[in-house]
């Protein structure tokens, strides 16, 4: 993972099965909220990106692009 290793212990494998009717509405609702949430988040990011004001600092940019500059060093 991004934070390092992850170990998982599998306790049981169940064969695939058809869902009972009473199980489906909850799964559909969960899927809808997941999709709708992603759509709304993307719309928010796009809207804020359009509203964002970008100001370029030429002095800082020149310092960052100078040969031998290492951002991790002061």
């Amino acid at each position: 993972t991004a934070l390092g290793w992850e170990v998982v212990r599998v306790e049981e494998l169940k064969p695939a099965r058809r869902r009972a009717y009473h199980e489906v509405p909850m799964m559909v609702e969960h899927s809808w909220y997941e999709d709708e949430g992603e759509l709304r988040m993307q719309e928010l990011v796009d809207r804020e990106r359009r509203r964002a004001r970008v100001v370029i600092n030429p002095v800082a940019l020149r310092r960052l692009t100078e040969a031998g500059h290492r951002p991790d060093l002061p």
Side-chain angles (χ1 to χ4, degrees):
T1 69
L3 301 175
W5 286 88
E6 182 175 332
V7 177
V8 177
R9 181 177 179 175
V10 178
E11 297 281 335
E12 182 180 8
L13 291 176
K14 294 182 178 182
R17 65 176 179 82
R18 289 186 175 263
R19 301 284 181 199
Y21 183 80
H22 70 278
E23 295 175 292
V24 175
M26 182 178 61
M27 295 172 66
V28 171
E29 182 180 14
H30 181 269
S31 179
W32 183 86
Y33 275 112
E34 189 174 307
D35 294 346
E36 186 68 17
E38 178 63 28
L39 178 65
R40 289 180 183 201
M41 181 60 71
Q42 193 58 55
E43 288 172 351
L44 174 64
V45 168
D46 292 344
R47 186 171 58 246
E48 293 304 313
R49 185 175 285 138
R50 286 190 302 271
R51 289 178 40 186
R53 182 173 170 248
V54 176
V55 177
I56 297 173
N57 181 333
V59 175
L61 182 60
R62 186 174 55 252
R63 288 181 181 168
L64 285 171
T65 57
E66 288 175 352
H69 177 74
R70 294 198 40 202
D72 58 332
L73 298 175

